[in-house]
Structures are given as C-alpha cells and as structure tokens.
Amino acid sequence: MSSADNGPGAEDLTRLDAAELARRVQAREVSSVEVTRAHLERIEAVERTGLNAFLHVAADAALAAAAAVDDEIAAGTVRGPLAGVPVAIKDNMITRDMPTTCASRILDGWRPPYDATVVRRLREAGLVPLGKTNLDEFAMGGSNENSAYGAVRNPWDPARVPGGSSGGSAAATAVGETPLALGSDTGGSIRQPGAFTGTVGVKPTYGTVSRYGLVAFSSSLDQIGPFGRTVLDAAMLHEVVGGHDPCDQTSIDAPLPPVVEAALAGARGDLAGVRVGVVNELSGEGFQTGVLSAFTDAVRVLTELGAEVVEVSCPSFTLGLPAYYLIAPSEASSNLARFDAMRYGLRVGDDGSRSTDEVMSATREAGFGAEVKRRIMIGTHALSAGSYDALYGKAQKVRTLVVRDFSAAFERCDVLVSPTVPTTAFPIGDRVDDPVSMYLADLCTIPANLAGIAGLSVPCGLAAEDGMPVGLQVMTPALADDRAYRVGAAYELARDTASGVPFASTVPDPAALQGAS
Ligand code: GLN
C-alpha cells in the first residue's frame, strides 16, 4: 500500500487521538475503513524500520471489520463511543481469528478456539483489531528483550528499550501505529512501558477487567488495562473492556468506576480539595536526576491546580520488590505447568522413541526462553516444602504489610503519586544479563499490584539528560480508579497548556527511526 491510496489526509489520521477519530467516523466525516487503512499503512512503514511492535497484523480482517462498522453507521447504528476506531492487542490475550504466541516458541502454531472477554468486548463495541503486539515472553520482563521474536525498539530512540512487558502495545501507541492498545500489568507492565514511551497506561483495580482469556502469568497480580496517547482515550478504552464477567472467578461484581466522566471532569482543570500524597519511599536515592526533576515539576503543577500535597511514608514498599519476585514466579511455576507438549502448540521429539516425560522436557527445553525458565525454577524452589515458610510465606506477609501501608496512606490522601519508573528507558542490551538490575525498573509499580489497587502513568515531560519521556504515576484505592483519571487529565491539560504543544502530537517520525537504526 502507498499513502497515495488514501489521499493527502492519510498520514494525519494516525496523529489524531481515539476520541477525535471516533467523533469523525461517527459523524461520517471519514470512514472507519479510511482510518484503519491509514493505520495499517503506518504499521507497514514503521515496522519496516525495525520497530518490531507487532507479531501479527490482521490487515484484511481489520478492513472487513471497519467496513462492517461503516455500514452500520450509515444505517444509523453506533455500537459504542469508540466504534470504528482501531486497537492493538497484546499477544497474551487470546483471539479466535489470530494466533496467540505470548512471544514464546512453546505456543508456535497455536490457534485459540475463542476470544478473551476483553477481545469480545472490543469487537462488540465496534473497535477494529489491527493485530497482536510483541511482549516479553509470557509477560515476564521489563524491557521486551525477552521476546522469542526479538526486542521491540523505543520510538523515541531505537537504541533503547520501550519497556515491558507490554512494550509492543506501548511503542505501537506512541508511534501512531494504533491510537489505542491493550496491555497487561502484573508488576508494572502497562505503566512502566507507558512511562518509557510517553504514552498513558493504566492498571485498573484488580478484578475490574476480566482476565478470562488472558494467558495467566501470576493470577493474583495480572490485570489487563488500556494504553492511549491521552488520558481520555485510555478511559474510553477502559470503559469498553471493563466490568463484571461471570467467566472470571476473581471478577468483582460492582459497577466500573466512572472513568470517562472523571477524565472529562479532570480536563476542566481543577483539583481543588484533592489530597495528593507523595510517597517518600518512591523517589530520591538511586533515581535518575531528570526523572526526579520532571516528577517534582509535575507535583508543583498539581499544587497549582489546587491539590493539597502532603508527604506520606509507606515503609514496606521497599520490600515489595523482593516479595513480588517470589510471589509472581511461584504462581507462574504453577500456571506454566499447562505447557506440557500435549495440549498446546509446540511438541518436540515425539517420534515414538521417547516417553511422555521425555517429550515434555524436550519441548519445554526448546520452547521456553531463559527468563521463563529462571522464573519457573525460582517459583518451584520458593514453593518447595523446605523453603515455603521462609520464602513464599514471608513474601505473602510482606504483601499484607503493603496493603496496610496503602490503607494508612489513603486515610490521609485521595491519591498517591510517584515517578512511574526510577529511570528513563535504558539502552537495549544494558540490563538483559543482569536480572536484578532489570527488576529494579518495577520498584514503583509493584506495590499497586501487590495490593490490587489502581495505578495510572501519564507522561510528565522529558528528562533533561537524555530527552527520554518520564511518567507520573497516580495510584488510587481499589475501585476508585476514576480519581487517577481525574488527576491525570487535569495534569495533562496543564502540561500541554504550559508547553503550548499537546504532548500527544509529538509522535516520533519513522523516517528518523530508519536513519537512526
Ligand atoms: N517486569 C515485571 C516482571 O518481569 C512485571 C511484568 C508484568 O507486569 N507483566 O515480572
């Protein structure tokens, strides 16, 4: 395809946010087919530069879905506020018409028989799935370098990682391959790549977005959430996929917090009466200077918007990281036992000469990458009879302490804020051989997962020393996700008003990427 196919407006469509695209499609100023084609062309152009954000692009299915939405709109039916808008899906959510790999060799060739609940809801709401995005294998990682299909590059600097594990969804959204994407966040995998790529990423309250059809990593921590280039876009996608699902046993049977309403309210730019707590333990020593100054500046903006800022202490947060790296691998070691060479995807050495056990271990040996094997070993050890009390049991106690710290802090504050990550995106290759330094990228995001509460990351400028995006994290009590959207939207507006340029329009140019890679 060439951009000439779409006329002169084609490139512009990939710069528009989802809310505006939806408005234009529904007003029939532009068709969903045109919008979809523009994004498919952008994908083709950008992936050619080696971004590697997509594992599968479903061009024909996307155009057919878009045409169906256009027909409905012409006949007077609009399925939902985002009808006609393209979306990308992290490849650990199952899709009946596209492969699902979890970026692992072990799922080679697997075609899921049904759609994850979130995917079904996207389709029902008239969104147009463009394809499946790259990730760290089984969502284990913080840089996307653990993908069996190669690292994803950061659109802001192709020599750097986009973060992980939802790096494909984040990079694709940042660079305009899609206006919206779904990710999953177990210890920070939406918020951290959101911060690294200058996108908005949200981990909703645990149990408020269905995990049915999300390939399980750590079931008590995993949560699906939205990426967008604006807070409102993320809220609109959140509202499409969220809400009770009887197919997910941990789904909360409660109304979804009014996230879109809150994002719209926030955009009126007033935070009077909102009590914002700055978490002492989540800044300071070990944090990159440019991250700290962007964060401090963001807190100043919140004050100017009328928020009342206080400092809070959550002493157990420093133990969150080691606790997470016992709990998550423990659950993973159990969840990944289902990849036994019998039920899904890859099977190695099944030539009649080997026992079932031998085929199973040959398949796992060939099918799982190094990080996945490391997690299975750590988890199996932490759960073993001799280590359970000292490792897994203790980690669960820390989890309770983290929950208590949050409860105490939320007595004094409506939301808590921190930098989303201690540093900006690091160079590809820098941390991949040093898992502990990689794990440190999750320092600020893990507490919210351990407690099951909500967290949003909104871009708060670029770090002076490297020009890379920085994220402001806003955390709220469980089922109060709307507060994060209100604060995020108010901040976003003030940020753009101060700089005079909407940050969401500063999409990196693929031509520049090509030159640099
Ligand atoms: N980086 C963290 C890990 O490697 C978080 C992953 C995630 O949230 N899926 O486990």
Side-chain angles (χ1 to χ4, degrees), residues 90 138-142 164-165 184-190 217 324-325 328 371 375 439 442 449:
K90 185 178 182 181
F138 286 107
M140 298 177 192
S165 61
S184 67
D185 190 312
T186 304
S189 280
I190 296 175
F217 160 16
Y324 169 89
Y325 277 99
E371 182 65 22
R375 306 261 178 137
Y439 298 167
D442 307 321
N449 298 82

Side-chain angles (χ1 to χ4, degrees), residues 141-345:
S143 70
N144 230 292
E145 292 165 289
N146 296 337
S147 168
Y149 301 98
V152 178
R153 293 172 183 278
N154 191 315
W156 290 83
D157 175 356
R160 293 177 190 255
V161 304
S165 61
S166 313
S169 287
T173 306
V175 79
E177 292 180 308
T178 182
L180 297 170
L182 288 181
S184 67
D185 190 312
T186 304
S189 280
I190 296 175
R191 290 160 289 158
Q192 186 256 37
F196 278 8
T197 59
T199 51
V200 177
V202 183
K203 183 205 100 68
T205 295
Y206 182 80
T208 58
V209 178
S210 172
R211 291 185 298 111
Y212 184 66
L214 169 69
V215 179
F217 160 16
S218 179
S219 314
S220 76
L221 299 162
D222 296 341
Q223 189 58 166
I224 291 172
F227 281 101
R229 290 193 297 273
T230 69
V231 172
L232 177 61
D233 281 5
M236 290 175 82
L237 182 57
H238 188 151
E239 216 155 85
V240 168
V241 295
H244 181 241
D245 177 16
C247 296
D248 172 356
Q249 290 173 339
T250 57
S251 175
I252 299 177
D253 192 0
L256 197 71
V259 293
V260 171
E261 201 185 302
L264 293 169
R268 288 195 283 273
D270 177 14
L271 292 179
V274 178
R275 296 168 305 162
V276 174
V278 176
V279 183
N280 273 333
E281 287 76 9
L282 299 183
S283 63
E285 211 183 319
F287 282 60
Q288 191 178 317
T289 317
V291 168
L292 286 179
S293 56
F295 173 67
T296 309
D297 201 52
V299 172
R300 182 186 52 75
V301 171
L302 297 179
T303 316
E304 285 168 11
L305 288 167
E308 182 193 319
V309 176
V310 294
E311 281 192 21
V312 295
S313 178
C314 297
S316 65
F317 281 16
T318 47
L319 300 172
L321 194 84
Y324 169 89
Y325 277 99
L326 288 167
I327 293 168
S330 296
E331 293 186 16
S333 71
S334 165
N335 274 324
L336 270 58
R338 63 170 60 92
F339 302 108
D340 57 2
M342 306 298 138
R343 288 181 277 193
Y344 309 95

